[in-house]
Amino acid sequence: MAIDQKYCEVSQPLDDWVPSSIQVRILEGVAAGLSSGRLSRELHLSSKTIDYHVRVMSDKLQAPNRVALVSRAFVLQILRTDTWPPRIDPEAMD
C-alpha cells in the first residue's frame, strides 16, 4: 500500500500554534474516541461548537479527518503517548 506524501508532511510551521483550553479538552476527547454529541454534553457546548473547534484544529494541523488530527497531535507531541485516555502535554498548552 502506497502512502500519499501530501498527508505525511505539514507544510506550515506549527511553532506559533498553542491550543486553547477548550481545544485541549476537545482534542483529548476526540483522541479518546468521543463523538461531537458526547463531547457537547460533557463540555456543555453545542455540537456545532465542537465541530467548529475540530475543524479549526484540523485546518491548523492540515489533517483531513479526526483520525489524522489525532495522529498528527501524537506525532507533533501535542498529545502524550504515556497516558490513557490521551492527555495534552502541559508544555503544549497556553
Side-chain angles (χ1 to χ4, degrees):
M1 170 159 76
I3 297 175
D4 191 343
Q5 285 301 108
K6 72 179 182 179
Y7 294 122
C8 295
E9 299 173 6
V10 177
S11 62
Q12 298 173 353
L14 299 171
D15 297 337
D16 62 337
W17 184 66
V18 177
S20 68
S21 60
I22 195 64
Q23 288 174 329
V24 164
R25 295 179 72 192
I26 292 170
L27 184 56
E28 289 174 345
V30 169
L34 302 181
S35 67
S36 292
R38 175 125 181 239
L39 278 169
S40 70
R41 288 187 299 276
E42 289 189 8
L43 300 177
H44 305 289
L45 299 168
S46 75
S47 60
K48 288 184 180 185
T49 299
I50 301 295
D51 291 339
Y52 167 79
H53 284 288
V54 169
R55 188 171 55 254
V56 166
M57 290 186 288
S58 295
D59 289 348
K60 185 62 181 175
L61 299 184
Q62 299 175 354
N65 54 49
R66 287 176 176 230
V67 172
L69 173 63
V70 171
S71 295
R72 296 227 178 164
F74 276 116
V75 168
L76 295 169
Q77 298 178 344
I78 296 168
L79 285 170
R80 295 175 49 187
T81 59
D82 61 345
T83 63
W84 186 260
R87 295 288 178 235
I88 295 286
D89 184 349
E91 294 180 11
M93 294 174 27
D94 63 356

